[in-house]
């Protein structure tokens, strides 16, 4: 124990790559190196694996949340959308007609980059890409009622990133 406080300090610990508990050996435990007592923490490899998984998931969730917030806050003025994007936006606000069968279909937000809402809140629309043989990667995704959306987002990279459209 470090000092006179009776509390353990980081310098009182070491990692023991193999520790014995009874007749079983465990990998990677954290133990005290105090000459008075030897206590072992996290000695069970199953507990270590659980701790590692929880830690990694926490990091992923925190970084995903931060990314989603920053993407939702990033905006693009309607006037700065490509001409095809402005045309698609006009069709959305008019209620169509749309050139592609999939336009107006439910967008599931599986990437979780947009604010969380119940399934069916978001709908996707194709932004024509000059020279593309298919629908291309550009989309507008709108949330709320189909004919009067509350918010729309533009993606030029097939849902890898979004920018909120400022009308």
């Amino acid at each position: 124990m470090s000092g006179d406080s009776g509390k353990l300090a980081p310098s009182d610990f070491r990692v023991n790559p193999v520790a014995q508990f009874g007749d079983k050996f465990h990998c990677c435990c954290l133990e005290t190196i105090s000459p008075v007592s030897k206590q072992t923490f996290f000695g069970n490899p199953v507990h270590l694996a659980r701790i590692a998984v929880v830690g990694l998931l926490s990091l992923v969730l925190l970084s995903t949340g931060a990314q989603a917030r920053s993407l939702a806050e990033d905006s693009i003025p309607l006037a700065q959308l490509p001409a095809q994007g402005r045309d698609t936006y006009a069709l959305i606000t008019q209620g169509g007609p749309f050139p592609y069968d999939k336009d107006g279909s439910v967008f599931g937000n599986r990437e979780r980059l947009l604010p969380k809402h119940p399934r069916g809140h978001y709908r996707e629309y194709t932004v024509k890409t000059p020279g593309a043989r298919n629908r291309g990667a550009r989309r507008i995704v709108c949330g709320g009622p189909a004919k009067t959306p509350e918010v729309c987002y533009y993606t030029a990279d097939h849902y890898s990133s979004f920018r909120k459209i400022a009308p």
Side-chain angles (χ1 to χ4, degrees):
M1 290 187 249
S2 295
D4 296 329
S5 67
K7 295 181 181 178
L8 293 173
S11 60
D12 293 323
F13 292 89
R14 71 173 176 185
V15 174
N16 185 353
V18 178
Q20 184 174 2
F21 296 97
D23 61 344
K24 296 182 180 175
F25 288 91
H26 298 276
C27 295
C28 202
C29 73
L30 183 64
E31 61 186 20
T32 62
I33 54 175
S34 168
V36 177
S37 67
K38 182 176 179 181
Q39 299 173 351
T40 304
F41 302 92
F42 308 119
N44 187 331
V46 173
H47 294 292
L48 282 176
R50 288 179 183 160
I51 291 168
V53 168
V54 169
L56 288 173
L57 286 175
S58 297
L59 287 173
V60 168
L61 291 174
L62 287 173
S63 66
T64 302
Q67 184 181 18
R69 278 192 302 279
S70 67
L71 288 172
E73 293 168 2
D74 188 21
S75 65
I76 182 171
L78 179 60
Q80 289 183 8
L81 284 178
Q84 300 85 358
R86 293 190 304 273
D87 293 344
T88 300
Y89 189 86
L91 288 176
I92 293 167
T93 58
Q94 294 168 14
F98 301 103
Y100 297 94
D101 290 338
K102 289 208 169 220
D103 286 345
S105 63
V106 171
F107 175 73
N109 195 23
R110 286 187 297 259
E111 298 80 3
R112 298 182 186 163
L113 295 178
L114 298 179
K116 186 176 180 180
H117 285 283
R119 180 161 174 75
H121 178 77
Y122 292 112
R123 300 194 174 276
E124 68 172 280
Y125 303 89
T126 306
V127 175
K128 289 183 182 179
T129 304
R133 292 181 173 178
N134 55 23
R135 292 173 58 211
R138 303 187 305 177
R139 302 280 188 279
I140 291 178
V141 175
C142 294
K147 291 186 179 180
T148 55
E150 298 163 2
V151 62
C152 292
Y153 299 89
Y154 175 71
T155 176
D157 52 15
H158 204 259
Y159 318 124
S160 291
S161 66
F162 291 90
R163 297 178 73 188
K164 185 177 180 179
I165 300 173

